[in-house]
Amino acid sequence: MNHLFGDTMLLLRRSITHTFRSPEILVGVTVSPIMFVLIFRYVFGGAIEIAGTSYVNFLMAGIFVQSIAFGALTTAMSLAYDLEKGIVERFFTLPMSRPAIVIGRTIADAIRAVFTIFIMVIVGIIVGYRPEGSPVDYAAAVGILVLFSFAISWVGALMAIFIPNPEALQQLSFVIILPLTFISSAFVDPATMPAGLQAFAENQPVSQAVDAVRSLTTDLPADGSILNSVLWSIGILVVSVPMVAWAFRRVGSR
């Protein structure tokens, strides 16, 4: 266990260091979310009305979760590059705990998610975001976001193991994540969507995480989304963690 903990901390530090030395990753976790805030706040915000709160208050929870969902791409791409360059195989030749390779990376992504959320809150307040909640509510909202980030990062790791080509992986990731974030409650009320899309948008994991964070930071009702979001994240981990462990063993036996 001490071996696993020590190796996880070592690879966690490697991932964090890599983030701050890679301009493209820093742009992804800072500039892109800021652009989404400004575009939806000032380009689309005037055309969208939300009952019970301002659009910018409604929007920010969606931006938080969208940024985290796209953060899974960072996990997937980083692991895919390590697989492609043989770095993972190099780790396998060392006296290193294999689970630590993925655990360290996914924890690093959860930490990166907190950094992104912090930036988003500052930018949001500048453009009119006024969260309403207690410190306990805010802590719960951050906890839900970090748990969702950790869960979705394991999905990214699984995708990278099965598709170790970074270019192909990037294309496939966008095809999966983009519809999940836009066919959701992130930017508009799903009640305005056609019936088939509405049912999907209201119940998928991105919407449940958005609704949970939104209810904790505004006066909008939770409608069970807090519990549903936690259950979705735990469910994703229950499925993806064993699959990553199984797939990683296959990589090691090649």
Side-chain angles (χ1 to χ4, degrees):
M1 185 60 73
N2 289 336
H3 187 45
L4 172 63
F5 178 78
D7 290 343
T8 298
M9 291 299 102
L10 179 66
L11 292 167
L12 167 62
R13 187 172 63 185
R14 174 181 181 266
S15 295
I16 295 292
T17 302
H18 183 246
T19 296
F20 287 97
R21 290 181 178 176
S22 302
E24 66 276 13
I25 296 179
L26 281 176
V27 168
V29 300
T30 56
V31 177
S32 296
I34 291 173
M35 288 178 62
F36 272 108
V37 171
L38 298 179
I39 290 172
F40 276 91
R41 172 69 176 88
Y42 293 111
V43 178
F44 299 109
I48 301 174
E49 293 187 4
I50 301 295
T53 189
S54 65
Y55 182 67
V56 67
N57 276 7
F58 178 89
L59 168 69
M60 290 308 298
I63 296 290
F64 294 151
V65 177
Q66 185 211 38
S67 301
I68 285 173
F70 276 101
L73 282 177
T74 305
T75 303
M77 295 297 292
S78 299
L79 186 56
Y81 276 118
D82 282 352
L83 287 164
E84 184 183 55
K85 295 178 179 177
I87 295 175
V88 172
E89 283 77 3
R90 173 59 177 157
F91 286 153
F92 286 169
T93 66
L94 301 174
M96 174 177 287
S97 171
R98 294 188 178 186
I101 298 172
V102 179
I103 295 173
R105 191 178 298 278
T106 52
I107 293 176
D109 287 335
I111 295 172
R112 192 160 44 227
V114 174
F115 175 70
T116 301
I117 293 165
F118 177 71
I119 293 176
M120 291 301 93
V121 170
I122 294 175
V123 175
I125 289 174
I126 292 173
V127 300
Y129 177 45
R130 299 293 180 268
E132 301 169 4
S134 68
V136 174
D137 292 332
Y138 298 150
V142 172
I144 286 172
L145 289 168
V146 170
L147 179 61
F148 185 70
S149 170
F150 187 64
I152 204 75
S153 293
W154 280 88
V155 176
L158 184 64
M159 293 171 63
I161 295 172
F162 280 105
I163 310 171
N165 182 300
E167 289 76 19
L169 179 62
Q170 185 175 32
Q171 296 300 321
L172 179 63
S173 299
F174 271 107
V175 169
I176 295 173
I177 295 176
L178 199 64
L180 277 176
T181 54
F182 278 87
I183 307 175
S184 72
S185 61
F187 306 112
V188 297
D189 187 346
T192 63
M193 300 178 186
L197 284 181
Q198 181 182 343
F200 173 78
E202 288 177 343
N203 296 291
Q204 55 119 320
V206 169
S207 289
Q208 292 299 317
V210 169
D211 293 345
V213 174
R214 187 173 285 148
S215 70
L216 289 166
T217 55
T218 69
D219 289 334
L220 295 176
D223 293 331
S225 59
I226 296 174
L227 176 61
N228 290 341
S229 175
V230 172
L231 292 177
W232 260 115
S233 295
I234 293 175
I236 291 171
L237 286 169
V238 167
V239 174
S240 61
V241 170
M243 291 185 70
V244 168
W246 170 78
F248 229 48
R249 281 196 295 271
R250 292 187 61 196
V251 172
S253 62
R254 290 174 185 169

